[in-house]
Amino acid sequence: MASIRPHGALRPDRLTRREVTALYPADRRVHYEPGMVGWAVAFYACYAAFVLELLPFWAFALLGVSAFVRNQNRWHEALHADQRGSSWLVAQVLLALPSPVYLGRRELEEMHLLHHREHDGVGDPDHRMMDPSALRAALWCFVQPELSAAWWIRRRGLGARLATTMAVHALVWALLMWFGGWRGFVAYNVVARIGNTAAWFVFAWLVHQPWLYGQVDPPEFPRPVRWLWYALVGRENYWGVRFHFMHHLYSAVPDRRLPALARRLAGPVGGSAPEGA
């Protein structure tokens, strides 16, 4: 993917980074941790309801994918939040597992921060999932758990702590499969893999497309798509996707504040910031 320049008028001179921090301060990580835990629990609760025949597969698929993606989004915002203060321990260890091969939260978070530093360069862990071909990108997103584990282990090795973490994840996954039997095995892996693939395809491929990334005032999605997005994933996730370029410039600004920040930094040269920004 070629380097992308901002489309339209970006006016960073309107605000210094200190002013951005003052006007749009980062949330504390604990602001997002209840959501991280809640959506992970919701995903597993839907799976349990399906296994116990309290929920049909179509409902598990719809609710499970939504809960999985929402969990990933809360996690992403928590990663960029103010890390000071104590973290909720359960939020650090409770993951919605898409695969028996899965890194720990610490490794995945470090890889995402590296993505911000090495954006689409050779050192970007998400480079393959940003392939110009949507099909190839989707296939790499489909195997993201295994791809990320291979990337990390090749470069950082498999220490005792990470080996223990991955072994625990594999054991938990095996217990989930035992609980669900063959029927649960198929349903869980279809739903979890779709949810994980969708989350990574959106945040690794879609958000970096030229028609969206690099623009201070990116286009709105069609209204039906927008409202469906709100219902399934949430309004803040939509803003995080639409204003992903602003997120790369000011990653600590919460998603819900990105539209206002974009309005302040956009506009004709010599003009004033729009009212209400």
PDB file of all heavy atoms in Angstrom, residues 25-62:
ATOM      1  N   PRO A  25      -9.307  14.907  26.320  1.00  0.00           N
ATOM      2  CA  PRO A  25      -8.431  14.052  27.138  1.00  0.00           C
ATOM      3  C   PRO A  25      -8.756  12.576  26.981  1.00  0.00           C
ATOM      4  O   PRO A  25      -9.907  12.199  26.715  1.00  0.00           O
ATOM      5  CB  PRO A  25      -8.734  14.527  28.566  1.00  0.00           C
ATOM      6  CG  PRO A  25     -10.119  15.088  28.494  1.00  0.00           C
ATOM      7  CD  PRO A  25     -10.224  15.717  27.143  1.00  0.00           C
ATOM      8  N   ALA A  26      -7.733  11.766  27.140  1.00  0.00           N
ATOM      9  CA  ALA A  26      -7.916  10.315  27.061  1.00  0.00           C
ATOM     10  C   ALA A  26      -8.742   9.831  28.249  1.00  0.00           C
ATOM     11  O   ALA A  26      -8.640  10.359  29.354  1.00  0.00           O
ATOM     12  CB  ALA A  26      -6.560   9.613  27.052  1.00  0.00           C
ATOM     13  N   ASP A  27      -9.572   8.839  28.003  1.00  0.00           N
ATOM     14  CA  ASP A  27     -10.275   8.180  29.097  1.00  0.00           C
ATOM     15  C   ASP A  27      -9.297   7.298  29.864  1.00  0.00           C
ATOM     16  O   ASP A  27      -8.254   6.903  29.334  1.00  0.00           O
ATOM     17  CB  ASP A  27     -11.402   7.301  28.552  1.00  0.00           C
ATOM     18  CG  ASP A  27     -12.507   8.110  27.899  1.00  0.00           C
ATOM     19  OD1 ASP A  27     -12.836   9.196  28.415  1.00  0.00           O
ATOM     20  OD2 ASP A  27     -13.045   7.649  26.870  1.00  0.00           O
ATOM     21  N   ARG A  28      -9.633   6.983  31.099  1.00  0.00           N
ATOM     22  CA  ARG A  28      -8.860   5.986  31.828  1.00  0.00           C
ATOM     23  C   ARG A  28      -9.214   4.596  31.292  1.00  0.00           C
ATOM     24  O   ARG A  28     -10.340   4.356  30.863  1.00  0.00           O
ATOM     25  CB  ARG A  28      -9.183   6.054  33.324  1.00  0.00           C
ATOM     26  CG  ARG A  28      -8.645   7.298  34.026  1.00  0.00           C
ATOM     27  CD  ARG A  28      -7.121   7.306  34.031  1.00  0.00           C
ATOM     28  NE  ARG A  28      -6.595   8.444  34.755  1.00  0.00           N
ATOM     29  CZ  ARG A  28      -6.194   8.414  36.014  1.00  0.00           C
ATOM     30  NH1 ARG A  28      -6.297   7.290  36.713  1.00  0.00           N
ATOM     31  NH2 ARG A  28      -5.703   9.482  36.598  1.00  0.00           N
ATOM     32  N   ARG A  29      -8.256   3.704  31.353  1.00  0.00           N
ATOM     33  CA  ARG A  29      -8.489   2.345  30.868  1.00  0.00           C
ATOM     34  C   ARG A  29      -9.684   1.697  31.568  1.00  0.00           C
ATOM     35  O   ARG A  29     -10.441   0.948  30.945  1.00  0.00           O
ATOM     36  CB  ARG A  29      -7.236   1.492  31.079  1.00  0.00           C
ATOM     37  CG  ARG A  29      -7.336   0.095  30.468  1.00  0.00           C
ATOM     38  CD  ARG A  29      -6.094  -0.732  30.724  1.00  0.00           C
ATOM     39  NE  ARG A  29      -6.244  -2.046  30.124  1.00  0.00           N
ATOM     40  CZ  ARG A  29      -5.664  -2.448  29.004  1.00  0.00           C
ATOM     41  NH1 ARG A  29      -4.875  -1.618  28.344  1.00  0.00           N
ATOM     42  NH2 ARG A  29      -5.854  -3.656  28.522  1.00  0.00           N
ATOM     43  N   VAL A  30      -9.836   2.003  32.852  1.00  0.00           N
ATOM     44  CA  VAL A  30     -10.935   1.392  33.605  1.00  0.00           C
ATOM     45  C   VAL A  30     -12.303   1.802  33.060  1.00  0.00           C
ATOM     46  O   VAL A  30     -13.307   1.156  33.364  1.00  0.00           O
ATOM     47  CB  VAL A  30     -10.839   1.739  35.100  1.00  0.00           C
ATOM     48  CG1 VAL A  30      -9.621   1.090  35.728  1.00  0.00           C
ATOM     49  CG2 VAL A  30     -10.813   3.252  35.322  1.00  0.00           C
ATOM     50  N   HIS A  31     -12.356   2.870  32.265  1.00  0.00           N
ATOM     51  CA  HIS A  31     -13.614   3.283  31.642  1.00  0.00           C
ATOM     52  C   HIS A  31     -14.113   2.218  30.662  1.00  0.00           C
ATOM     53  O   HIS A  31     -15.319   2.066  30.463  1.00  0.00           O
ATOM     54  CB  HIS A  31     -13.405   4.613  30.910  1.00  0.00           C
ATOM     55  CG  HIS A  31     -14.589   5.095  30.138  1.00  0.00           C
ATOM     56  ND1 HIS A  31     -15.671   5.723  30.729  1.00  0.00           N
ATOM     57  CD2 HIS A  31     -14.873   5.038  28.807  1.00  0.00           C
ATOM     58  CE1 HIS A  31     -16.561   6.030  29.807  1.00  0.00           C
ATOM     59  NE2 HIS A  31     -16.101   5.629  28.635  1.00  0.00           N
ATOM     60  N   TYR A  32     -13.174   1.474  30.054  1.00  0.00           N
ATOM     61  CA  TYR A  32     -13.528   0.491  29.027  1.00  0.00           C
ATOM     62  C   TYR A  32     -13.528  -0.948  29.517  1.00  0.00           C
ATOM     63  O   TYR A  32     -14.091  -1.826  28.867  1.00  0.00           O
ATOM     64  CB  TYR A  32     -12.563   0.620  27.841  1.00  0.00           C
ATOM     65  CG  TYR A  32     -12.633   1.968  27.177  1.00  0.00           C
ATOM     66  CD1 TYR A  32     -11.632   2.914  27.368  1.00  0.00           C
ATOM     67  CD2 TYR A  32     -13.716   2.307  26.376  1.00  0.00           C
ATOM     68  CE1 TYR A  32     -11.710   4.168  26.779  1.00  0.00           C
ATOM     69  CE2 TYR A  32     -13.792   3.555  25.778  1.00  0.00           C
ATOM     70  CZ  TYR A  32     -12.790   4.479  25.989  1.00  0.00           C
ATOM     71  OH  TYR A  32     -12.885   5.722  25.412  1.00  0.00           O
ATOM     72  N   GLU A  33     -12.888  -1.189  30.644  1.00  0.00           N
ATOM     73  CA  GLU A  33     -12.737  -2.572  31.094  1.00  0.00           C
ATOM     74  C   GLU A  33     -14.057  -3.263  31.428  1.00  0.00           C
ATOM     75  O   GLU A  33     -14.223  -4.449  31.107  1.00  0.00           O
ATOM     76  CB  GLU A  33     -11.751  -2.633  32.256  1.00  0.00           C
ATOM     77  CG  GLU A  33     -10.327  -2.398  31.777  1.00  0.00           C
ATOM     78  CD  GLU A  33      -9.301  -2.399  32.891  1.00  0.00           C
ATOM     79  OE1 GLU A  33      -9.654  -2.044  34.028  1.00  0.00           O
ATOM     80  OE2 GLU A  33      -8.136  -2.758  32.608  1.00  0.00           O
ATOM     81  N   PRO A  34     -15.029  -2.592  32.035  1.00  0.00           N
ATOM     82  CA  PRO A  34     -16.315  -3.284  32.236  1.00  0.00           C
ATOM     83  C   PRO A  34     -16.946  -3.734  30.916  1.00  0.00           C
ATOM     84  O   PRO A  34     -17.523  -4.825  30.837  1.00  0.00           O
ATOM     85  CB  PRO A  34     -17.176  -2.226  32.938  1.00  0.00           C
ATOM     86  CG  PRO A  34     -16.192  -1.357  33.645  1.00  0.00           C
ATOM     87  CD  PRO A  34     -15.005  -1.278  32.721  1.00  0.00           C
ATOM     88  N   GLY A  35     -16.820  -2.907  29.864  1.00  0.00           N
ATOM     89  CA  GLY A  35     -17.336  -3.306  28.566  1.00  0.00           C
ATOM     90  C   GLY A  35     -16.582  -4.474  27.973  1.00  0.00           C
ATOM     91  O   GLY A  35     -17.172  -5.374  27.367  1.00  0.00           O
ATOM     92  N   MET A  36     -15.252  -4.467  28.137  1.00  0.00           N
ATOM     93  CA  MET A  36     -14.450  -5.590  27.662  1.00  0.00           C
ATOM     94  C   MET A  36     -14.922  -6.891  28.292  1.00  0.00           C
ATOM     95  O   MET A  36     -15.150  -7.891  27.605  1.00  0.00           O
ATOM     96  CB  MET A  36     -12.976  -5.352  28.001  1.00  0.00           C
ATOM     97  CG  MET A  36     -12.320  -4.214  27.262  1.00  0.00           C
ATOM     98  SD  MET A  36     -10.768  -3.663  28.046  1.00  0.00           S
ATOM     99  CE  MET A  36      -9.783  -5.147  27.980  1.00  0.00           C
ATOM    100  N   VAL A  37     -15.081  -6.861  29.616  1.00  0.00           N
ATOM    101  CA  VAL A  37     -15.523  -8.059  30.330  1.00  0.00           C
ATOM    102  C   VAL A  37     -16.961  -8.403  29.973  1.00  0.00           C
ATOM    103  O   VAL A  37     -17.295  -9.566  29.697  1.00  0.00           O
ATOM    104  CB  VAL A  37     -15.375  -7.851  31.856  1.00  0.00           C
ATOM    105  CG1 VAL A  37     -16.019  -9.002  32.616  1.00  0.00           C
ATOM    106  CG2 VAL A  37     -13.910  -7.714  32.236  1.00  0.00           C
ATOM    107  N   GLY A  38     -17.820  -7.393  29.948  1.00  0.00           N
ATOM    108  CA  GLY A  38     -19.235  -7.634  29.694  1.00  0.00           C
ATOM    109  C   GLY A  38     -19.500  -8.267  28.343  1.00  0.00           C
ATOM    110  O   GLY A  38     -20.290  -9.221  28.238  1.00  0.00           O
ATOM    111  N   TRP A  39     -18.831  -7.783  27.311  1.00  0.00           N
ATOM    112  CA  TRP A  39     -19.066  -8.344  25.977  1.00  0.00           C
ATOM    113  C   TRP A  39     -18.440  -9.720  25.822  1.00  0.00           C
ATOM    114  O   TRP A  39     -18.977 -10.570  25.098  1.00  0.00           O
ATOM    115  CB  TRP A  39     -18.566  -7.397  24.893  1.00  0.00           C
ATOM    116  CG  TRP A  39     -19.437  -6.182  24.763  1.00  0.00           C
ATOM    117  CD1 TRP A  39     -19.100  -4.884  25.017  1.00  0.00           C
ATOM    118  CD2 TRP A  39     -20.814  -6.166  24.371  1.00  0.00           C
ATOM    119  NE1 TRP A  39     -20.166  -4.058  24.805  1.00  0.00           N
ATOM    120  CE2 TRP A  39     -21.238  -4.811  24.411  1.00  0.00           C
ATOM    121  CE3 TRP A  39     -21.728  -7.146  23.998  1.00  0.00           C
ATOM    122  CZ2 TRP A  39     -22.541  -4.428  24.082  1.00  0.00           C
ATOM    123  CZ3 TRP A  39     -23.031  -6.771  23.677  1.00  0.00           C
ATOM    124  CH2 TRP A  39     -23.427  -5.430  23.717  1.00  0.00           C
ATOM    125  N   ALA A  40     -17.311  -9.986  26.494  1.00  0.00           N
ATOM    126  CA  ALA A  40     -16.744 -11.336  26.480  1.00  0.00           C
ATOM    127  C   ALA A  40     -17.690 -12.309  27.178  1.00  0.00           C
ATOM    128  O   ALA A  40     -17.957 -13.414  26.669  1.00  0.00           O
ATOM    129  CB  ALA A  40     -15.376 -11.352  27.159  1.00  0.00           C
ATOM    130  N   VAL A  41     -18.233 -11.895  28.327  1.00  0.00           N
ATOM    131  CA  VAL A  41     -19.192 -12.736  29.043  1.00  0.00           C
ATOM    132  C   VAL A  41     -20.437 -12.951  28.194  1.00  0.00           C
ATOM    133  O   VAL A  41     -20.991 -14.062  28.137  1.00  0.00           O
ATOM    134  CB  VAL A  41     -19.554 -12.109  30.400  1.00  0.00           C
ATOM    135  CG1 VAL A  41     -20.737 -12.819  31.042  1.00  0.00           C
ATOM    136  CG2 VAL A  41     -18.348 -12.135  31.339  1.00  0.00           C
ATOM    137  N   ALA A  42     -20.893 -11.899  27.514  1.00  0.00           N
ATOM    138  CA  ALA A  42     -22.076 -12.020  26.653  1.00  0.00           C
ATOM    139  C   ALA A  42     -21.836 -13.029  25.535  1.00  0.00           C
ATOM    140  O   ALA A  42     -22.729 -13.835  25.201  1.00  0.00           O
ATOM    141  CB  ALA A  42     -22.442 -10.655  26.067  1.00  0.00           C
ATOM    142  N   PHE A  43     -20.625 -13.003  24.954  1.00  0.00           N
ATOM    143  CA  PHE A  43     -20.303 -13.962  23.894  1.00  0.00           C
ATOM    144  C   PHE A  43     -20.372 -15.394  24.414  1.00  0.00           C
ATOM    145  O   PHE A  43     -20.999 -16.268  23.806  1.00  0.00           O
ATOM    146  CB  PHE A  43     -18.910 -13.668  23.336  1.00  0.00           C
ATOM    147  CG  PHE A  43     -18.408 -14.710  22.388  1.00  0.00           C
ATOM    148  CD1 PHE A  43     -18.899 -14.796  21.094  1.00  0.00           C
ATOM    149  CD2 PHE A  43     -17.455 -15.641  22.790  1.00  0.00           C
ATOM    150  CE1 PHE A  43     -18.449 -15.778  20.218  1.00  0.00           C
ATOM    151  CE2 PHE A  43     -17.003 -16.620  21.938  1.00  0.00           C
ATOM    152  CZ  PHE A  43     -17.505 -16.688  20.641  1.00  0.00           C
ATOM    153  N   TYR A  44     -19.757 -15.641  25.564  1.00  0.00           N
ATOM    154  CA  TYR A  44     -19.763 -16.995  26.123  1.00  0.00           C
ATOM    155  C   TYR A  44     -21.164 -17.393  26.595  1.00  0.00           C
ATOM    156  O   TYR A  44     -21.530 -18.577  26.513  1.00  0.00           O
ATOM    157  CB  TYR A  44     -18.755 -17.097  27.266  1.00  0.00           C
ATOM    158  CG  TYR A  44     -17.320 -17.089  26.787  1.00  0.00           C
ATOM    159  CD1 TYR A  44     -16.407 -16.140  27.235  1.00  0.00           C
ATOM    160  CD2 TYR A  44     -16.874 -18.039  25.871  1.00  0.00           C
ATOM    161  CE1 TYR A  44     -15.096 -16.140  26.790  1.00  0.00           C
ATOM    162  CE2 TYR A  44     -15.568 -18.043  25.417  1.00  0.00           C
ATOM    163  CZ  TYR A  44     -14.677 -17.087  25.878  1.00  0.00           C
ATOM    164  OH  TYR A  44     -13.385 -17.099  25.425  1.00  0.00           O
ATOM    165  N   ALA A  45     -21.937 -16.436  27.077  1.00  0.00           N
ATOM    166  CA  ALA A  45     -23.305 -16.733  27.493  1.00  0.00           C
ATOM    167  C   ALA A  45     -24.158 -17.149  26.296  1.00  0.00           C
ATOM    168  O   ALA A  45     -24.988 -18.073  26.402  1.00  0.00           O
ATOM    169  CB  ALA A  45     -23.922 -15.525  28.186  1.00  0.00           C
ATOM    170  N   CYS A  46     -23.965 -16.487  25.168  1.00  0.00           N
ATOM    171  CA  CYS A  46     -24.694 -16.875  23.946  1.00  0.00           C
ATOM    172  C   CYS A  46     -24.308 -18.284  23.508  1.00  0.00           C
ATOM    173  O   CYS A  46     -25.166 -19.070  23.085  1.00  0.00           O
ATOM    174  CB  CYS A  46     -24.411 -15.868  22.827  1.00  0.00           C
ATOM    175  SG  CYS A  46     -25.176 -14.257  23.055  1.00  0.00           S
ATOM    176  N   TYR A  47     -23.019 -18.593  23.619  1.00  0.00           N
ATOM    177  CA  TYR A  47     -22.567 -19.945  23.268  1.00  0.00           C
ATOM    178  C   TYR A  47     -23.200 -20.982  24.185  1.00  0.00           C
ATOM    179  O   TYR A  47     -23.698 -22.022  23.726  1.00  0.00           O
ATOM    180  CB  TYR A  47     -21.044 -20.013  23.351  1.00  0.00           C
ATOM    181  CG  TYR A  47     -20.471 -21.403  23.171  1.00  0.00           C
ATOM    182  CD1 TYR A  47     -20.692 -22.117  21.995  1.00  0.00           C
ATOM    183  CD2 TYR A  47     -19.700 -21.991  24.172  1.00  0.00           C
ATOM    184  CE1 TYR A  47     -20.166 -23.393  21.820  1.00  0.00           C
ATOM    185  CE2 TYR A  47     -19.166 -23.258  24.001  1.00  0.00           C
ATOM    186  CZ  TYR A  47     -19.403 -23.959  22.828  1.00  0.00           C
ATOM    187  OH  TYR A  47     -18.877 -25.221  22.659  1.00  0.00           O
ATOM    188  N   ALA A  48     -23.211 -20.698  25.492  1.00  0.00           N
ATOM    189  CA  ALA A  48     -23.810 -21.628  26.450  1.00  0.00           C
ATOM    190  C   ALA A  48     -25.307 -21.808  26.161  1.00  0.00           C
ATOM    191  O   ALA A  48     -25.829 -22.932  26.218  1.00  0.00           O
ATOM    192  CB  ALA A  48     -23.601 -21.129  27.872  1.00  0.00           C
ATOM    193  N   ALA A  49     -25.991 -20.717  25.851  1.00  0.00           N
ATOM    194  CA  ALA A  49     -27.423 -20.795  25.552  1.00  0.00           C
ATOM    195  C   ALA A  49     -27.661 -21.637  24.304  1.00  0.00           C
ATOM    196  O   ALA A  49     -28.635 -22.399  24.229  1.00  0.00           O
ATOM    197  CB  ALA A  49     -27.997 -19.394  25.380  1.00  0.00           C
ATOM    198  N   PHE A  50     -26.768 -21.528  23.329  1.00  0.00           N
ATOM    199  CA  PHE A  50     -26.901 -22.350  22.125  1.00  0.00           C
ATOM    200  C   PHE A  50     -26.694 -23.830  22.454  1.00  0.00           C
ATOM    201  O   PHE A  50     -27.478 -24.692  22.029  1.00  0.00           O
ATOM    202  CB  PHE A  50     -25.896 -21.908  21.063  1.00  0.00           C
ATOM    203  CG  PHE A  50     -25.779 -22.869  19.913  1.00  0.00           C
ATOM    204  CD1 PHE A  50     -26.753 -22.911  18.924  1.00  0.00           C
ATOM    205  CD2 PHE A  50     -24.710 -23.750  19.830  1.00  0.00           C
ATOM    206  CE1 PHE A  50     -26.662 -23.810  17.870  1.00  0.00           C
ATOM    207  CE2 PHE A  50     -24.609 -24.653  18.782  1.00  0.00           C
ATOM    208  CZ  PHE A  50     -25.595 -24.685  17.800  1.00  0.00           C
ATOM    209  N   VAL A  51     -25.651 -24.126  23.213  1.00  0.00           N
ATOM    210  CA  VAL A  51     -25.360 -25.518  23.564  1.00  0.00           C
ATOM    211  C   VAL A  51     -26.510 -26.130  24.356  1.00  0.00           C
ATOM    212  O   VAL A  51     -26.882 -27.299  24.144  1.00  0.00           O
ATOM    213  CB  VAL A  51     -24.042 -25.601  24.369  1.00  0.00           C
ATOM    214  CG1 VAL A  51     -23.836 -27.007  24.932  1.00  0.00           C
ATOM    215  CG2 VAL A  51     -22.854 -25.214  23.483  1.00  0.00           C
ATOM    216  N   LEU A  52     -27.124 -25.341  25.235  1.00  0.00           N
ATOM    217  CA  LEU A  52     -28.232 -25.821  26.053  1.00  0.00           C
ATOM    218  C   LEU A  52     -29.576 -25.758  25.322  1.00  0.00           C
ATOM    219  O   LEU A  52     -30.624 -25.994  25.924  1.00  0.00           O
ATOM    220  CB  LEU A  52     -28.310 -24.994  27.345  1.00  0.00           C
ATOM    221  CG  LEU A  52     -27.082 -25.103  28.262  1.00  0.00           C
ATOM    222  CD1 LEU A  52     -27.192 -24.132  29.424  1.00  0.00           C
ATOM    223  CD2 LEU A  52     -26.888 -26.535  28.757  1.00  0.00           C
ATOM    224  N   GLU A  53     -29.515 -25.434  24.031  1.00  0.00           N
ATOM    225  CA  GLU A  53     -30.693 -25.384  23.162  1.00  0.00           C
ATOM    226  C   GLU A  53     -31.708 -24.344  23.630  1.00  0.00           C
ATOM    227  O   GLU A  53     -32.916 -24.507  23.450  1.00  0.00           O
ATOM    228  CB  GLU A  53     -31.330 -26.769  23.033  1.00  0.00           C
ATOM    229  CG  GLU A  53     -30.381 -27.800  22.435  1.00  0.00           C
ATOM    230  CD  GLU A  53     -31.035 -29.149  22.186  1.00  0.00           C
ATOM    231  OE1 GLU A  53     -32.185 -29.336  22.610  1.00  0.00           O
ATOM    232  OE2 GLU A  53     -30.377 -29.995  21.553  1.00  0.00           O
ATOM    233  N   LEU A  54     -31.182 -23.251  24.173  1.00  0.00           N
ATOM    234  CA  LEU A  54     -32.034 -22.127  24.546  1.00  0.00           C
ATOM    235  C   LEU A  54     -31.990 -21.032  23.490  1.00  0.00           C
ATOM    236  O   LEU A  54     -32.774 -20.076  23.551  1.00  0.00           O
ATOM    237  CB  LEU A  54     -31.567 -21.550  25.892  1.00  0.00           C
ATOM    238  CG  LEU A  54     -31.589 -22.509  27.083  1.00  0.00           C
ATOM    239  CD1 LEU A  54     -30.977 -21.834  28.314  1.00  0.00           C
ATOM    240  CD2 LEU A  54     -33.005 -22.977  27.361  1.00  0.00           C
ATOM    241  N   LEU A  55     -31.079 -21.182  22.543  1.00  0.00           N
ATOM    242  CA  LEU A  55     -30.875 -20.170  21.512  1.00  0.00           C
ATOM    243  C   LEU A  55     -30.613 -20.874  20.183  1.00  0.00           C
ATOM    244  O   LEU A  55     -29.741 -21.745  20.119  1.00  0.00           O
ATOM    245  CB  LEU A  55     -29.668 -19.292  21.890  1.00  0.00           C
ATOM    246  CG  LEU A  55     -29.526 -17.903  21.282  1.00  0.00           C
ATOM    247  CD1 LEU A  55     -30.651 -16.997  21.773  1.00  0.00           C
ATOM    248  CD2 LEU A  55     -28.171 -17.312  21.676  1.00  0.00           C
ATOM    249  N   PRO A  56     -31.354 -20.535  19.128  1.00  0.00           N
ATOM    250  CA  PRO A  56     -31.083 -21.156  17.824  1.00  0.00           C
ATOM    251  C   PRO A  56     -29.766 -20.655  17.249  1.00  0.00           C
ATOM    252  O   PRO A  56     -29.250 -19.605  17.662  1.00  0.00           O
ATOM    253  CB  PRO A  56     -32.273 -20.707  16.977  1.00  0.00           C
ATOM    254  CG  PRO A  56     -32.729 -19.432  17.603  1.00  0.00           C
ATOM    255  CD  PRO A  56     -32.481 -19.585  19.074  1.00  0.00           C
ATOM    256  N   PHE A  57     -29.251 -21.389  16.273  1.00  0.00           N
ATOM    257  CA  PHE A  57     -27.944 -21.020  15.727  1.00  0.00           C
ATOM    258  C   PHE A  57     -27.945 -19.622  15.134  1.00  0.00           C
ATOM    259  O   PHE A  57     -26.991 -18.857  15.318  1.00  0.00           O
ATOM    260  CB  PHE A  57     -27.492 -22.028  14.669  1.00  0.00           C
ATOM    261  CG  PHE A  57     -26.203 -21.607  14.001  1.00  0.00           C
ATOM    262  CD1 PHE A  57     -24.999 -21.711  14.678  1.00  0.00           C
ATOM    263  CD2 PHE A  57     -26.206 -21.067  12.721  1.00  0.00           C
ATOM    264  CE1 PHE A  57     -23.809 -21.294  14.087  1.00  0.00           C
ATOM    265  CE2 PHE A  57     -25.021 -20.649  12.131  1.00  0.00           C
ATOM    266  CZ  PHE A  57     -23.823 -20.775  12.808  1.00  0.00           C
ATOM    267  N   TRP A  58     -29.025 -19.249  14.416  1.00  0.00           N
ATOM    268  CA  TRP A  58     -29.028 -17.935  13.764  1.00  0.00           C
ATOM    269  C   TRP A  58     -28.912 -16.818  14.804  1.00  0.00           C
ATOM    270  O   TRP A  58     -28.240 -15.798  14.570  1.00  0.00           O
ATOM    271  CB  TRP A  58     -30.277 -17.741  12.907  1.00  0.00           C
ATOM    272  CG  TRP A  58     -31.570 -17.664  13.674  1.00  0.00           C
ATOM    273  CD1 TRP A  58     -32.458 -18.668  13.944  1.00  0.00           C
ATOM    274  CD2 TRP A  58     -32.109 -16.477  14.295  1.00  0.00           C
ATOM    275  NE1 TRP A  58     -33.512 -18.198  14.696  1.00  0.00           N
ATOM    276  CE2 TRP A  58     -33.327 -16.859  14.913  1.00  0.00           C
ATOM    277  CE3 TRP A  58     -31.690 -15.149  14.383  1.00  0.00           C
ATOM    278  CZ2 TRP A  58     -34.131 -15.959  15.614  1.00  0.00           C
ATOM    279  CZ3 TRP A  58     -32.484 -14.249  15.080  1.00  0.00           C
ATOM    280  CH2 TRP A  58     -33.690 -14.648  15.681  1.00  0.00           C
ATOM    281  N   ALA A  59     -29.544 -17.013  15.971  1.00  0.00           N
ATOM    282  CA  ALA A  59     -29.473 -16.000  17.021  1.00  0.00           C
ATOM    283  C   ALA A  59     -28.082 -15.980  17.650  1.00  0.00           C
ATOM    284  O   ALA A  59     -27.542 -14.901  17.958  1.00  0.00           O
ATOM    285  CB  ALA A  59     -30.537 -16.263  18.084  1.00  0.00           C
ATOM    286  N   PHE A  60     -27.496 -17.167  17.850  1.00  0.00           N
ATOM    287  CA  PHE A  60     -26.131 -17.221  18.370  1.00  0.00           C
ATOM    288  C   PHE A  60     -25.167 -16.543  17.405  1.00  0.00           C
ATOM    289  O   PHE A  60     -24.275 -15.789  17.819  1.00  0.00           O
ATOM    290  CB  PHE A  60     -25.721 -18.668  18.614  1.00  0.00           C
ATOM    291  CG  PHE A  60     -24.264 -18.839  18.967  1.00  0.00           C
ATOM    292  CD1 PHE A  60     -23.623 -17.966  19.844  1.00  0.00           C
ATOM    293  CD2 PHE A  60     -23.518 -19.885  18.427  1.00  0.00           C
ATOM    294  CE1 PHE A  60     -22.271 -18.120  20.176  1.00  0.00           C
ATOM    295  CE2 PHE A  60     -22.168 -20.046  18.749  1.00  0.00           C
ATOM    296  CZ  PHE A  60     -21.553 -19.166  19.617  1.00  0.00           C
ATOM    297  N   ALA A  61     -25.363 -16.779  16.112  1.00  0.00           N
ATOM    298  CA  ALA A  61     -24.487 -16.162  15.114  1.00  0.00           C
ATOM    299  C   ALA A  61     -24.601 -14.645  15.158  1.00  0.00           C
ATOM    300  O   ALA A  61     -23.588 -13.926  15.194  1.00  0.00           O
ATOM    301  CB  ALA A  61     -24.830 -16.693  13.725  1.00  0.00           C
ATOM    302  N   LEU A  62     -25.825 -14.128  15.172  1.00  0.00           N
ATOM    303  CA  LEU A  62     -26.034 -12.688  15.157  1.00  0.00           C
ATOM    304  C   LEU A  62     -25.520 -12.036  16.445  1.00  0.00           C
ATOM    305  O   LEU A  62     -24.729 -11.087  16.413  1.00  0.00           O
ATOM    306  CB  LEU A  62     -27.523 -12.382  14.968  1.00  0.00           C
ATOM    307  CG  LEU A  62     -27.916 -10.902  14.922  1.00  0.00           C
ATOM    308  CD1 LEU A  62     -27.303 -10.226  13.714  1.00  0.00           C
ATOM    309  CD2 LEU A  62     -29.435 -10.758  14.892  1.00  0.00           C
TER     310      LEU A  62
END
